[in-house]
Amino acid sequence: MRIDPNSRSVQGLSTFIEFIALNVMYLVSCIPVVTIGAATSALFEVAIRYSDDETGRPVADFIPAFLRNFRRGALTGLALLVPIALLVFSAVFWLSTPSVLGTAGGVISALAAVFLFTAFLYAMALVATFDDGIRRTLKNAMLLAAAEPARTFGLLMIPVTLVCISILFPPFLVIMGTVGFSVGAYAAAFLFRSVFARHRP
């Protein structure tokens, strides 16, 4: 029996294994916490490139992208992740307060955290795609999150869906640990490309 290495089944299996490896590399890169921004920007860079007619090599390109985006990705990520963490803490605190004021404060904090999270996703994709300064990247991420409500909602639904499935069906965490982040980034890449095409000069 002869196996054709160029057959669709072999190519599909090869791509699946590559996405597993990419997912593991991303999770390992996030372990120091402060590198989450750099790792996410690198993941988006290889995903955006691969979504463009499957060009690039996700696994081989991840480490160079991580090193290239390290400073801007890490600093931009921290500039958004720290306020997000504070807003989430604030939301939990106020929602645990049995009062109208507490509920209002909790809802406002939660909505602000969600908005900044979408800005974080945009910022990481901007770091991956454009060579701009940190301040400009943060500004553009905020503007895109507000200017593209439909695509921003679609972008937000990717992690929300994955988290909800993981909560309702805990064994799904195995899939999240193997291909969840890499496949999610690949799906988000099409939205990023659409948004950037609309706003690119």
Side-chain angles (χ1 to χ4, degrees), residues 81-94:
L81 289 175
V82 171
I84 289 171
L86 294 174
L87 285 168
V88 169
F89 175 81
S90 176
V92 172
F93 173 80
W94 285 111

